[in-house]
Short mmCIF file of all heavy atoms in Angstrom, two decimals:
data_model
loop_
_atom_site.label_atom_id
_atom_site.label_comp_id
_atom_site.label_asym_id
_atom_site.label_seq_id
_atom_site.Cartn_x
_atom_site.Cartn_y
_atom_site.Cartn_z
N TRP A 199 -115.38 -260.64 -11.07
CA TRP A 199 -116.50 -261.28 -11.78
C TRP A 199 -116.71 -260.61 -13.12
O TRP A 199 -116.36 -259.47 -13.33
CB TRP A 199 -117.79 -261.18 -10.92
CG TRP A 199 -118.27 -259.79 -10.71
CD1 TRP A 199 -119.14 -259.10 -11.52
CD2 TRP A 199 -117.95 -258.91 -9.63
NE1 TRP A 199 -119.34 -257.85 -11.01
CE2 TRP A 199 -118.62 -257.68 -9.85
CE3 TRP A 199 -117.12 -259.04 -8.51
CZ2 TRP A 199 -118.52 -256.60 -8.98
CZ3 TRP A 199 -117.03 -257.95 -7.65
CH2 TRP A 199 -117.71 -256.76 -7.89
N GLY A 207 -124.92 -253.97 -15.50
CA GLY A 207 -125.12 -254.51 -14.18
C GLY A 207 -125.45 -255.99 -14.14
O GLY A 207 -125.63 -256.55 -13.08
N LEU A 210 -122.27 -262.23 -15.60
CA LEU A 210 -122.24 -263.41 -16.47
C LEU A 210 -122.15 -264.67 -15.63
O LEU A 210 -121.55 -264.66 -14.57
CB LEU A 210 -121.07 -263.36 -17.45
CG LEU A 210 -121.02 -262.17 -18.41
CD1 LEU A 210 -119.85 -262.28 -19.35
CD2 LEU A 210 -122.33 -262.02 -19.18
N SER A 213 -120.64 -271.11 -18.01
CA SER A 213 -121.35 -272.27 -18.55
C SER A 213 -120.29 -273.33 -18.89
O SER A 213 -119.35 -273.51 -18.14
CB SER A 213 -122.19 -271.87 -19.76
OG SER A 213 -121.38 -271.29 -20.76
N ARG A 216 -114.88 -272.78 -20.50
CA ARG A 216 -114.54 -271.42 -20.10
C ARG A 216 -115.43 -270.43 -20.81
O ARG A 216 -115.03 -269.30 -21.08
CB ARG A 216 -113.07 -271.16 -20.44
CG ARG A 216 -112.16 -272.09 -19.65
CD ARG A 216 -110.86 -271.42 -19.31
NE ARG A 216 -110.21 -272.06 -18.17
CZ ARG A 216 -109.29 -271.45 -17.44
NH1 ARG A 216 -108.92 -270.23 -17.71
NH2 ARG A 216 -108.75 -272.09 -16.42
N CYS A 220 -124.61 -264.62 -20.57
CA CYS A 220 -125.47 -263.61 -19.93
C CYS A 220 -126.87 -264.14 -19.83
O CYS A 220 -127.46 -264.52 -20.84
CB CYS A 220 -125.43 -262.31 -20.72
SG CYS A 220 -126.58 -261.08 -20.06
N GLY A 225 -126.02 -263.62 -24.54
CA GLY A 225 -124.70 -263.52 -25.19
C GLY A 225 -123.69 -264.41 -24.52
O GLY A 225 -123.79 -264.69 -23.32
N GLU A 229 -113.98 -266.76 -21.47
CA GLU A 229 -113.57 -266.15 -20.23
C GLU A 229 -112.48 -265.10 -20.47
O GLU A 229 -112.49 -264.03 -19.90
CB GLU A 229 -113.04 -267.21 -19.26
CG GLU A 229 -112.66 -266.65 -17.92
CD GLU A 229 -112.17 -267.75 -16.98
OE1 GLU A 229 -110.97 -268.07 -17.00
OE2 GLU A 229 -113.01 -268.29 -16.25
N PRO A 236 -112.50 -255.79 -20.18
CA PRO A 236 -111.84 -254.96 -21.22
C PRO A 236 -112.50 -253.61 -21.41
O PRO A 236 -111.98 -252.81 -22.19
CB PRO A 236 -112.03 -255.86 -22.46
CG PRO A 236 -113.33 -256.53 -22.23
CD PRO A 236 -113.45 -256.76 -20.75
N GLU A 237 -113.59 -253.36 -20.73
CA GLU A 237 -114.28 -252.09 -20.96
C GLU A 237 -113.53 -250.96 -20.28
O GLU A 237 -112.89 -251.15 -19.24
CB GLU A 237 -115.73 -252.16 -20.35
CG GLU A 237 -116.53 -253.36 -20.80
CD GLU A 237 -116.76 -253.39 -22.31
OE1 GLU A 237 -116.91 -252.31 -22.89
OE2 GLU A 237 -116.77 -254.47 -22.88
N VAL A 241 -116.46 -245.07 -14.38
CA VAL A 241 -117.15 -244.77 -13.13
C VAL A 241 -116.16 -245.00 -11.98
O VAL A 241 -115.51 -246.04 -11.90
CB VAL A 241 -118.38 -245.65 -12.91
CG1 VAL A 241 -119.08 -245.32 -11.61
CG2 VAL A 241 -119.35 -245.47 -14.06
N ALA A 242 -116.05 -243.99 -11.11
CA ALA A 242 -115.17 -244.12 -9.97
C ALA A 242 -115.92 -244.65 -8.76
O ALA A 242 -116.94 -244.09 -8.38
CB ALA A 242 -114.55 -242.77 -9.65
N GLU A 246 -116.55 -246.53 1.51
CA GLU A 246 -117.43 -245.96 2.51
C GLU A 246 -116.59 -245.04 3.40
O GLU A 246 -115.52 -245.41 3.83
CB GLU A 246 -118.07 -247.04 3.35
CG GLU A 246 -119.39 -246.65 3.90
CD GLU A 246 -120.21 -247.86 4.31
OE1 GLU A 246 -119.96 -248.96 3.79
OE2 GLU A 246 -121.07 -247.71 5.17
N GLY A 250 -111.47 -241.52 -0.98
CA GLY A 250 -110.89 -241.32 -2.31
C GLY A 250 -111.31 -242.43 -3.25
O GLY A 250 -111.99 -243.37 -2.87
N ARG A 253 -111.27 -247.50 -7.17
CA ARG A 253 -110.92 -248.02 -8.49
C ARG A 253 -111.89 -247.48 -9.53
O ARG A 253 -112.98 -247.01 -9.21
CB ARG A 253 -110.97 -249.54 -8.51
CG ARG A 253 -112.32 -250.11 -8.18
CD ARG A 253 -112.31 -251.61 -8.33
NE ARG A 253 -111.48 -252.22 -7.29
CZ ARG A 253 -111.07 -253.47 -7.37
NH1 ARG A 253 -111.31 -254.21 -8.40
NH2 ARG A 253 -110.36 -254.02 -6.39
N LEU A 254 -111.47 -247.53 -10.76
CA LEU A 254 -112.30 -247.16 -11.86
C LEU A 254 -112.85 -248.43 -12.51
O LEU A 254 -112.10 -249.37 -12.76
CB LEU A 254 -111.52 -246.36 -12.90
CG LEU A 254 -111.09 -244.95 -12.51
CD1 LEU A 254 -110.17 -244.37 -13.59
CD2 LEU A 254 -112.31 -244.06 -12.34
N CYS A 256 -116.03 -250.05 -15.35
CA CYS A 256 -116.95 -249.72 -16.44
C CYS A 256 -118.37 -249.55 -15.84
O CYS A 256 -118.63 -249.93 -14.71
CB CYS A 256 -116.92 -250.79 -17.50
SG CYS A 256 -117.69 -252.34 -17.02
N ALA A 260 -120.01 -251.15 -12.40
CA ALA A 260 -120.44 -250.25 -11.34
C ALA A 260 -121.89 -250.52 -10.93
O ALA A 260 -122.26 -250.33 -9.77
CB ALA A 260 -120.29 -248.80 -11.79
N ALA A 261 -122.69 -250.99 -11.86
CA ALA A 261 -124.11 -251.21 -11.60
C ALA A 261 -124.36 -252.60 -11.04
O ALA A 261 -125.48 -252.91 -10.59
CB ALA A 261 -124.93 -251.01 -12.86
N SER A 264 -122.82 -256.55 -6.70
CA SER A 264 -121.66 -256.82 -5.87
C SER A 264 -120.82 -255.58 -5.62
O SER A 264 -120.00 -255.52 -4.74
CB SER A 264 -120.80 -257.90 -6.51
OG SER A 264 -121.50 -259.11 -6.57
N ALA A 266 -122.08 -252.76 -4.84
CA ALA A 266 -122.80 -251.88 -3.90
C ALA A 266 -122.03 -251.70 -2.58
O ALA A 266 -122.09 -250.64 -1.97
CB ALA A 266 -124.20 -252.44 -3.64
N ALA A 271 -120.52 -243.51 -3.07
CA ALA A 271 -120.97 -242.54 -4.07
C ALA A 271 -120.39 -242.93 -5.42
O ALA A 271 -119.29 -243.44 -5.50
CB ALA A 271 -120.52 -241.14 -3.68
N PRO A 277 -114.07 -238.57 -19.73
CA PRO A 277 -112.89 -239.08 -20.43
C PRO A 277 -111.84 -238.00 -20.60
O PRO A 277 -112.17 -236.82 -20.78
CB PRO A 277 -113.45 -239.52 -21.79
CG PRO A 277 -114.74 -238.80 -21.91
CD PRO A 277 -115.28 -238.62 -20.54
N GLU A 278 -110.63 -238.39 -20.50
CA GLU A 278 -109.54 -237.41 -20.64
C GLU A 278 -109.57 -236.79 -22.04
O GLU A 278 -109.71 -237.50 -23.01
CB GLU A 278 -108.18 -238.10 -20.41
CG GLU A 278 -107.98 -238.46 -18.97
CD GLU A 278 -106.55 -239.04 -18.80
OE1 GLU A 278 -105.69 -238.70 -19.62
OE2 GLU A 278 -106.37 -239.80 -17.85
N THR A 279 -109.44 -235.53 -22.04
CA THR A 279 -109.37 -234.86 -23.35
C THR A 279 -108.00 -235.01 -23.93
O THR A 279 -106.99 -234.88 -23.22
CB THR A 279 -109.75 -233.37 -23.23
OG1 THR A 279 -108.90 -232.78 -22.22
CG2 THR A 279 -111.20 -233.20 -22.80
N GLU A 280 -108.00 -235.31 -25.19
CA GLU A 280 -106.70 -235.50 -25.82
C GLU A 280 -106.42 -234.35 -26.77
O GLU A 280 -107.26 -233.51 -27.05
CB GLU A 280 -106.71 -236.81 -26.61
CG GLU A 280 -106.88 -238.00 -25.70
CD GLU A 280 -106.65 -239.28 -26.47
OE1 GLU A 280 -106.08 -239.22 -27.56
OE2 GLU A 280 -107.08 -240.34 -25.96
N ASP A 282 -104.18 -231.03 -28.22
CA ASP A 282 -103.48 -229.81 -27.86
C ASP A 282 -101.99 -230.01 -28.12
O ASP A 282 -101.25 -230.40 -27.32
CB ASP A 282 -103.70 -229.39 -26.42
CG ASP A 282 -103.11 -228.00 -26.16
OD1 ASP A 282 -101.86 -227.91 -26.15
OD2 ASP A 282 -103.86 -227.07 -26.02
#
Side-chain angles (χ1 to χ4, degrees):
W199 65 89
L210 300 183
S213 57
R216 297 212 158 201
C220 175
E229 183 179 87
E237 309 297 327
V241 180
E246 207 160 337
R253 63 175 68 195
L254 289 173
C256 71
S264 296
E278 288 184 25
T279 54
E280 296 189 17
D282 187 290

